[in-house]
């Protein structure tokens, strides 16, 4: 990702993350997003503007409604950026699993008293 600051900034807000989660289900009109999010229409519009400027959502006109949908490209870029960190966690969890297997293989029992 080249200049990813707007993307991270857009996703830093919990209301915008909630809107992204709604749009993950399906495209929605502004009215639907207002109803589902519990935010006011002006507040929702401001959040949608930030998401649109960050490239996370696309908007299309449908008669008198504006319908918003996720743009998968920035999400894919985030996923690619996070891949090495997932690998780090996987290695750590694999090492933990091996350690737990070694502990159970040696017959080490739980030292806590039994009732």
């Amino acid at each position: 990702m080249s200049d990813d600051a707007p993307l991270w900034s857009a996703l830093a807000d919990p209301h915008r993350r909630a809107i992204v989660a709604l749009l993950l289900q399906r495209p929605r009109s502004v009215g639907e997003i207002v109803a589902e999010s519990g935010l006011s229409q002006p507040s929702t519009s401001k959040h949608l503007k930030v998401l649109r400027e960050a490239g996370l959502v696309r908007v299309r006109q449908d008669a008198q409604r504006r319908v918003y949908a996720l743009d998968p490209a920035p999400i894919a870029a985030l996923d690619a950026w996070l891949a090495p960190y997932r690998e780090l966690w996987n290695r750590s969890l694999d090492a933990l699993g091996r350690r737990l297997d070694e502990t159970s293989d040696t017959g080490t029992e739980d030292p806590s008293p039994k009732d």
Side-chain angles (χ1 to χ4, degrees):
M1 294 188 301
S2 54
D3 183 17
D4 56 351
L7 185 62
W8 290 109
S9 180
L11 292 172
D13 184 276
H15 295 296
R16 290 193 286 268
R17 288 194 307 270
I19 291 170
V20 167
L22 285 172
L23 295 176
L24 179 60
Q25 298 167 357
R26 64 179 170 80
R28 295 175 188 264
S29 69
V30 175
E32 289 175 291
I33 296 168
V34 168
E36 291 288 327
S37 69
L39 298 170
S40 68
Q41 193 280 328
S43 180
T44 300
S45 291
K46 287 178 185 178
H47 287 302
L48 287 168
K49 180 182 178 188
V50 171
L51 291 170
R52 189 177 66 249
E53 289 174 350
L56 284 162
V57 299
R58 296 184 207 152
V59 62
R60 68 176 167 80
Q61 197 74 29
D62 181 22
Q64 302 223 347
R65 301 179 327 151
R66 287 185 171 186
V67 178
Y68 284 82
L70 282 182
D71 185 340
I75 305 296
L78 283 175
D79 182 59
W81 187 86
L82 288 168
Y85 299 95
R86 273 193 301 277
E87 180 58 32
L88 174 68
W89 272 103
N90 286 338
R91 285 193 311 262
S92 297
L93 291 173
D94 288 346
L96 175 62
R98 285 190 301 275
R99 179 68 178 124
L100 291 172
D101 287 344
E102 290 168 5
T103 302
S104 65
D105 289 344
T106 61
T108 306
E109 295 191 19
D110 184 6
S112 60
K114 307 257 192 252
D115 289 327

